[in-house]
Amino acid sequence: MAVYRVPPVPPSEITPRAAWLNRRALIAGALASLPVLSAARPAGAAQDPLPLKPGPFGTSEPPTPIKDVTSYNNFYEFGAGKADPSRNSGAFRPEPWTLEVDGLVAKPRTFDLDDLRGFPLEERVYRMRCVEAWSMVIPWVGFPLAALLDQVEPLGSAKYVAFETVVRPEEMPGQKGLFQPLPWPYVEGLRLDEARHPLAILAVGLYGRTLPNQNGAPVRLVVPWKYGFKGIKSIVRISLVEDEPVTSWKRMAAHEYGFYANVNPAVDHPRWSQASEIRIGEGGFFSPSRRDTLPFNGYAGEVAGLYAGMDLAADY
Ligand SMILES: Nc1nc2c(c(=O)[nH]1)N[C@H]1C(S)=C(S)[C@@H](COP(=O)(O)O)O[C@H]1N2
Ligand SMILES: [Mo]
């Protein structure tokens, strides 16, 4: 079985995407013919690409440079600053890993990394919008959450899906010390029909490689029509439940962060506008690239039907 563990990519390795895709094919070929050499590399240095094929919902917008995707992050378990997750996640060990799927299901199951990477992986290039009014375009590697839910067979009584991040204060400096920005574990949730929508994926990689620690290794949620905080990282448990689950940011400040968290330029955050966003990695520090925020982050055609009849200003 291939070893997928890959360290974050240093800036020196950053290559334009087309060149990188070509080179990746070359490297994959070269590695395949050098099993002894690759087996002799130190632990953590293997760079086997993840298998993937292009998935649906593509965008023509250029992907955000990988150095920004991997160095400008929110992952409070490693600190509250944007650079903290890339700086402070080096001791985190995402392998081995288990993901428990339980609750109102006919077939509760524990998935390991081989199971998760055994789903048919696709590249999904998604626009991502943080509630803090910045955005990125990220080429995720993952599979529909619906495919995992199908395997555990949710019962008729299951109405919501609850997600939980790992708690490891020894490896996650943001989980110990005096300043604890959130109660742990970080928890999130979706309505079952949202979770089953084909846009919602579990990501196990980005830019064709396994996830860097700061992006939620080894498995995280990606729901591109919602604000980024719904995309819970380093997931250890997924539970099918009857009632709307508690979510970390709603528990912190319910007047600012709702359960739905659908991207909505018409509903401002109490402390700032959501009408537009800065695209990270474009335009430079002094002239950032700003664009209008679109309803459902541009995915209204796909997902607006999920919310027919709801007042999205009340259910924010
Ligand atoms: N466990 C956990 N998941 C999390 C967060 C977090 O602090 N802890 N931050 C969220 C927020 S606010 C955003 S914008 C996205 C950022 O994902 P990225 O760093 O991969 O772009 O992760 C989300 N998932
Ligand atoms: Mo966010």
Side-chain angles (χ1 to χ4, degrees):
M1 190 66 217
V3 177
Y4 290 110
R5 172 93 187 101
V6 172
V9 180
S12 59
E13 275 192 32
I14 290 155
T15 313
R17 180 161 169 76
W20 169 81
L21 280 171
N22 285 331
R23 203 184 59 186
R24 198 179 61 172
L26 282 175
I27 293 171
L31 281 181
S33 64
L34 286 175
V36 177
L37 233 191
S38 56
R41 282 178 301 175
Q47 302 213 349
D48 298 347
L50 288 168
L52 78 169
K53 62 181 172 76
F57 311 112
T59 169
S60 58
E61 292 173 51
T64 302
I66 191 170
K67 74 164 163 34
D68 296 306
V69 174
T70 59
S71 64
Y72 190 90
N73 302 99
N74 275 332
F75 198 168
Y76 278 45
E77 286 85 339
F78 295 108
K82 295 289 174 274
D84 289 340
S86 59
R87 283 195 196 127
N88 299 338
S89 61
F92 184 62
R93 291 287 161 259
E95 303 194 18
W97 195 264
T98 54
L99 167 59
E100 307 285 341
V101 186
D102 60 12
L104 302 172
V105 297
K107 297 184 174 166
R109 200 182 141 182
T110 303
F111 293 84
D112 67 18
L113 280 180
D114 284 344
D115 297 329
L116 295 171
R117 291 166 181 164
F119 281 91
L121 300 183
E122 294 174 345
E123 179 167 72
R124 297 283 187 99
V125 186
Y126 282 166
R127 292 181 297 276
M128 305 298 298
R129 172 62 156 78
C130 179
V131 74
E132 296 164 326
W134 49 267
S135 64
M136 297 191 189
V137 175
I138 303 183
W140 300 109
V141 185
F143 60 90
L145 174 57
L148 180 132
L149 295 175
D150 285 345
Q151 293 206 357
V152 298
E153 298 178 15
L155 304 177
S157 51
K159 298 285 182 268
Y160 294 87
V161 186
F163 303 83
E164 190 180 310
T165 292
V166 72
V167 179
R168 286 191 196 167
E170 293 321 305
E171 297 178 20
M172 300 176 126
Q175 289 184 335
K176 59 183 180 194
L178 284 179
F179 177 64
Q180 300 279 318
L182 290 170
W184 314 111
Y186 192 101
V187 286
E188 257 305 338
L190 295 172
R191 230 170 45 194
L192 183 54
D193 59 337
E194 298 179 307
R196 283 195 178 286
H197 191 280
L199 269 171
I201 60 168
L202 288 175
V204 295
L206 58 80
Y207 270 106
R209 299 179 173 200
T210 53
L211 283 176
N213 289 346
Q214 60 269 36
N215 294 94
V219 59
R220 57 89 56 82
L221 179 66
V222 177
V223 265
W225 72 95
K226 293 178 180 282
Y227 291 118
F229 64 86
K230 298 299 283 185
I232 182 172
K233 295 174 167 179
S234 304
I235 303 168
V236 289
R237 183 179 301 277
I238 297 178
S239 305
L240 281 286
V241 296
E242 190 160 355
D243 299 319
E244 183 184 292
V246 173
T247 61
S248 285
W249 285 101
K250 183 176 176 184
R251 178 168 54 190
M252 270 307 276
H255 60 293
E256 299 191 349
Y257 310 105
F259 175 79
Y260 282 93
N262 291 315
V263 174
N264 190 344
V267 175
D268 286 339
H269 187 280
R271 292 181 282 137
W272 59 81
S273 166
Q274 296 290 22
S276 69
E277 67 204 50
I278 286 177
R279 178 61 52 85
I280 301 296
E282 283 179 14
F285 188 78
F286 295 102
S287 53
S289 162
R290 191 171 269 285
R291 65 192 69 211
D292 289 345
T293 289
L294 299 172
F296 300 105
N297 200 28
Y299 297 99
E302 285 81 12
V303 301
L306 291 172
Y307 310 101
M310 283 175 62
D311 176 359
L312 296 179
D315 283 316
Y316 55 92

